[in-house]
Amino acid sequence: MARLLEMTVVALGLALCCWGYPEGAPSSACSSMQPSHGYGESPSIASSYSVTLSKATYSPGDKITVTVSAAGSARFEGFLVQMRKEANDGTAMGSWSTTAGQTVCSQASGVTHTSKSAKSSTQMQWTAPSSSAGNVQVWATIVKTLSTWTIIKSSVISIASNPTTTTTTTTATSTTHTTSTSLQPSSSSSPSSTCGVSKGCFKKSVTCTNDCEYLLSWEPAGDEIKFEMSGISEGYVAVGFSKDKNMGDDNVIVCSRIGGVSHRYQPGAVKPEAIDPSNPTFGFTSASLSPDSAGRTRCSFSRKKVVAVARRRRQAQSESERERETDDDDGDDDDGDTPSGGTAGGGRVDVTHIFDLSTSYYVFFARGDVDSLGEPQMHTATPAISFEKVNFTQLVILTETNPSVTGPPVASPTTRSSGLSGSSGASSTATTTTTTTTTVPPGGVTPIDTSTCGTAKACFKSSATCTTACEYALTWQPVGDEIRFELSGAASGYVSVGFSKDTKMGDDNVIVCTSRGAVSQRYQAGRVAPELVDADRPYFGLTAFKVGSDGAGRVSCSFARNKTLASGRRRRAVEPSQVFDLGQAFYVLVARGDLDSNGDPVKHTTAPAVSAEQVNFTATSQLLTTQAGRPLAVAHACLMLIAWVGLASTGILMARFYKPQWASTKLCGERVWFAVGRRRSTTISTESRCRCRSIGP
């Protein structure tokens, strides 16, 4: 029995030793540069391979293209490339950007393969460190087959004597033709500096620039989308495209400091798996990783909006496999043709796992640690989820709590200086100060000025005399086909306006503005919470909106809306009856209250204010106050005082003091004290019933 156990352990050890690493060199090989296949080096094959460079010198921060090539009919299955000092001390220098079929090795110190398919050449880009590292050269481990490998070196790359000297680039033949610019930290041009202008962005806040806690940007370019991603993380950052706000059935891209950039699918609340394990970057036209030493992970990648998985012949994985395929006569279709929807690198790809980016999706941003192999672990913080679905063809800015806005946010006036200085040191400088008014949600909403109510704009507010300190205020101004609104109210959570066909709650078109910076168009069917008219676009039909809270218990917002809204031709079109035609007159209801944990409005904390009459939104001459001033309501209040203060006390006095005095005196056939008390009770009861009919909700 002991002998059998010993033989089993030996067999397993040999199997592990000979298995190889078809998906790239392990982290342990990044320092030794030697495969762990169990075979020694074969220096005799070195003459069949070469390393060429696009530059012979470098300056700090320079980028150099490195090409590893095989001569003639020679091929190689695997590789590991590093840049080391000429006087090799085992230290890797600089960082690397990868292309399709490649991944980085251990903190981006090198580049290795992701598939053992036969290759004639491969190309990658090296970025020099920010300070001089002296003379350096490329070390490349070339794996021809499982048992045959060697290490070759490039020519020495020296530090440039004049950093401004222009050098020429020699183009080398390569099977990969795309390169990508890494996200590099910059104080003058950050990935966020052109958000809303030349690229769209999802980030921590609308005003952060190169210091964003997390940031995803996208730039449509023909049938491609170029992405840049950055986040504070020592392990990985990841973005997910989701059909809803729940984790599961998501297309995910992971940028791992050790594992590189990979294309994945997440079926549920589990770790996302590679779409093609043999080619983690499957579907990308380019990908690069650029972590820094300050705890921030950056990467960029490009992919087609629609990734087609075409039929193609699979290359033999090794010489021995090619021989087996040649001898295979069992009748099976082993020629590697990939059916549509098919395979990549020999593994079948489910095309439903690669989402069509011409469709809008919610965006998830997650960060966390990685294991020793670079695989992402459970995120260390709750993933950020975009406020709404993202259209990747639009250059907008949005956050977790803000819907899409266009244009870069500017918090204050800017001063721009330009000047020319001569070689003598004399200079002439012209300074121009430009004040720019921009929309900066949230918190960028100024108090509503109601001093022009009834002239420049119409108003519904808590008092006819209040101006900027109204308990609540709604203003509107017709401009062409639009109605422009301002809404403000004393509230900690939300303020909302409802357009109603009557003075009662129910069958109302409602606009809600929250202290979290969200604005949404809703429909309220009855005495229930109003529902979004379009769950995919909460702000459906609203334009030019900004919303915020002053931090002192007041929520304010402004927005514009066409009088008539078309529901559009969509798979789930908006119900037209839920979005009212503002060319007609409606009662206005203003409500205020708190938010639940999801940021949705809950029951109002005070009774909604109802306009005394229907509102004509095409006129600016109206100045309305609450319906509490209705004649019936005033009459009711007066009658209640008379009934309960006057009549009730009179009845008590009559029964207490006049019963013995008028013991035998009658009125209408009844004793006086009883007749007066009965009439008093009847009057109070009748008045109370009238109250229920006159006041309403």
Side-chain angles (χ1 to χ4, degrees):
M1 184 66 184
R3 179 63 176 170
L4 178 61
L5 179 62
E6 181 181 352
M7 292 176 64
T8 301
V9 171
V10 172
L12 287 173
L14 289 174
L16 290 172
C17 182
C18 298
W19 185 262
Y21 296 90
E23 297 180 12
S27 300
S28 58
C30 293
S31 56
S32 68
M33 298 290 291
Q34 297 184 7
S36 301
H37 299 172
Y39 298 94
E41 184 179 1
S42 303
S44 60
I45 67 170
S47 60
S48 298
Y49 305 97
S50 62
V51 178
T52 56
L53 309 167
S54 63
K55 288 184 178 182
T57 61
Y58 78 95
S59 299
D62 273 1
K63 298 181 184 298
I64 296 179
T65 300
V66 177
T67 305
V68 178
S69 305
S73 60
R75 296 291 185 269
F76 57 96
E77 296 180 357
F79 61 88
L80 173 59
V81 175
Q82 277 192 350
M83 188 72 76
R84 295 189 172 190
K85 290 184 178 181
E86 181 183 14
N88 179 37
D89 59 1
T91 303
M93 308 303 298
S95 61
W96 294 86
S97 300
T98 61
T99 59
Q102 302 173 353
T103 187
V104 292
C105 171
S106 183
Q107 305 294 321
S109 63
V111 179
T112 186
H113 58 282
T114 60
S115 169
K116 65 174 185 177
S117 60
K119 308 167 184 65
S120 61
S121 66
T122 188
Q123 195 173 76
M124 61 286 295
Q125 189 178 70
W126 177 71
T127 302
S130 57
S131 58
S132 174
N135 294 345
V136 296
Q137 66 181 151
V138 175
W139 285 50
T141 301
I142 308 297
V143 179
K144 180 179 180 181
T145 63
L146 180 69
S147 59
T148 309
W149 63 274
T150 190
I151 296 178
I152 60 175
K153 303 175 186 178
S154 71
S155 58
V156 174
I157 309 171
S158 58
I159 186 74
S161 57
N162 183 358
T164 62
T165 301
T166 302
T167 59
T168 59
T169 299
T170 303
T171 303
T173 304
S174 174
T175 56
T176 55
H177 301 282
T178 56
T179 57
S180 176
T181 302
S182 303
L183 290 172
Q184 298 294 343
S186 172
S187 59
S188 59
S189 179
S190 71
S192 181
S193 61
T194 55
C195 285
V197 179
S198 62
K199 62 181 71 173
C201 294
F202 170 56
K203 50 183 182 172
K204 176 65 175 178
S205 74
V206 293
T207 56
C208 71
T209 53
N210 60 337
D211 59 344
C212 294
E213 186 178 331
Y214 61 82
L215 165 68
L216 172 74
S217 72
W218 58 91
E219 182 180 356
D223 60 351
E224 276 192 356
I225 307 289
K226 298 179 180 180
F227 291 92
E228 294 177 310
M229 180 161 49
S230 171
I232 298 175
S233 174
E234 293 281 3
Y236 75 89
V237 292
V239 60
F241 308 129
S242 182
K243 300 166 187 174
D244 52 37
K245 288 192 173 184
N246 299 317
M247 188 176 294
D249 188 22
D250 306 326
N251 188 183
V252 179
I253 290 85
V254 175
C255 297
S256 164
R257 280 179 171 248
I258 298 177
V261 185
S262 57
H263 206 174
R264 300 175 179 240
Y265 174 74
Q266 186 169 23
V270 294
K271 184 177 76 173
E273 298 295 335
I275 289 174
D276 183 354
S278 65
N279 181 13
T281 57
F282 176 78
F284 297 152
T285 56
S286 66
S288 65
L289 180 72
S290 302
D292 62 21
S293 59
R296 182 176 293 275
T297 298
R298 291 178 166 89
C299 69
S300 65
F301 55 93
S302 297
R303 56 153 285 191
K304 302 281 187 183
K305 296 174 187 174
V306 180
V307 177
V309 186
R311 293 176 61 89
R312 63 189 180 91
R313 180 174 295 276
R314 184 185 64 202
Q315 288 183 303
Q317 302 300 307
S318 65
E319 292 178 355
S320 59
E321 288 182 350
R322 286 197 293 271
E323 293 174 357
R324 286 197 300 271
E325 290 181 352
T326 303
D327 296 337
D328 186 0
D329 61 354
D330 60 2
D332 292 339
D333 182 13
D334 290 337
D335 64 359
D337 282 353
T338 303
S340 180
T343 74
R348 191 163 296 276
V349 172
D350 188 338
V351 292
T352 63
H353 294 171
I354 307 174
F355 292 0
D356 175 2
L357 294 188
S358 60
T359 301
S360 298
Y361 296 97
Y362 288 101
V363 172
F364 285 60
F365 198 107
R367 297 166 288 161
D369 298 325
V370 296
D371 61 17
S372 59
L373 299 178
E375 283 294 297
Q377 304 300 294
M378 179 74 174
H379 41 75
T380 51
T382 302
I385 306 173
S386 62
F387 177 81
E388 64 196 9
K389 287 187 175 181
V390 172
N391 181 343
F392 295 104
T393 65
Q394 295 181 351
L395 308 181
V396 297
I397 307 171
L398 75 164
T399 68
E400 284 188 272
T401 56
N402 285 83
S404 301
V405 294
T406 57
V410 180
S412 61
T414 58
T415 301
R416 297 178 181 177
S417 300
S418 61
L420 298 173
S421 56
S423 57
S424 64
S427 64
S428 174
T429 303
T431 302
T432 302
T433 301
T434 304
T435 301
T436 306
T437 302
T438 57
T439 298
V440 187
V445 182
T446 56
I448 296 176
D449 182 8
T450 62
S451 61
T452 58
C453 284
T455 55
K457 54 188 171 185
C459 298
F460 169 55
K461 52 183 182 174
S462 56
S463 166
T465 57
C466 69
T467 54
T468 58
C470 298
E471 186 179 346
Y472 62 84
L474 171 73
T475 74
W476 60 92
Q477 182 181 17
V479 180
D481 292 333
E482 278 190 343
I483 308 293
R484 297 179 181 176
F485 292 92
E486 296 174 304
L487 177 63
S488 178
S492 59
Y494 73 91
V495 59
S496 65
V497 56
F499 309 126
S500 182
K501 300 168 187 175
D502 52 35
T503 60
K504 296 180 173 58
M505 188 178 295
D507 188 22
D508 306 326
N509 185 186
V510 180
I511 313 296
V512 178
C513 301
T514 76
S515 58
R516 297 189 183 183
V519 59
S520 56
Q521 180 144 224
R522 301 172 179 248
Y523 175 75
Q524 186 168 24
R527 290 181 174 273
V528 293
E531 299 290 338
L532 295 170
V533 298
D534 187 341
D536 294 337
R537 296 174 295 171
Y539 58 93
F540 171 80
L542 306 178
T543 60
F545 49 81
K546 52 184 178 180
V547 59
S549 173
D550 63 2
R554 176 172 293 276
V555 178
S556 300
C557 66
S558 63
F559 55 90
R561 218 208 83 170
N562 278 350
K563 299 171 190 174
T564 304
L565 294 177
S567 60
R569 295 180 179 179
R570 305 175 64 241
R571 185 171 55 185
R572 290 185 294 175
V574 172
E575 176 58 49
S577 63
Q578 296 180 357
V579 185
F580 294 176
D581 177 4
L582 295 187
Q584 302 178 18
F586 295 96
Y587 286 100
V588 170
L589 294 81
V590 173
R592 296 164 289 153
D594 298 323
L595 302 172
D596 62 17
S597 58
N598 295 322
D600 288 321
V602 297
K603 185 176 175 60
H604 40 76
T605 50
T606 58
V610 184
S611 62
E613 60 187 73
Q614 288 188 329
V615 169
N616 178 2
F617 295 103
T618 63
T620 60
S621 58
Q622 289 179 294
L623 175 55
L624 306 174
T625 56
T626 180
Q627 197 179 29
R630 290 179 297 171
L632 283 177
V634 174
H636 166 72
C638 294
L639 291 174
M640 286 294 291
L641 287 173
I642 295 171
W644 291 102
V645 176
L647 297 180
S649 59
T650 300
I652 294 172
L653 291 172
M654 292 294 293
R656 173 68 178 86
F657 297 105
Y658 290 93
K659 180 178 179 180
Q661 299 296 328
W662 294 338
S664 58
T665 304
K666 294 184 178 182
L667 177 64
C668 298
E670 297 287 349
R671 284 174 292 181
V672 173
W673 69 270
F674 180 76
V676 173
R678 182 171 61 180
R679 186 60 57 88
R680 182 264 312 167
S681 299
T682 302
T683 302
I684 293 175
S685 177
T686 301
E687 200 284 332
S688 296
R689 286 195 296 270
C690 291
R691 171 188 178 275
C692 296
R693 294 178 181 272
S694 63
I695 295 302

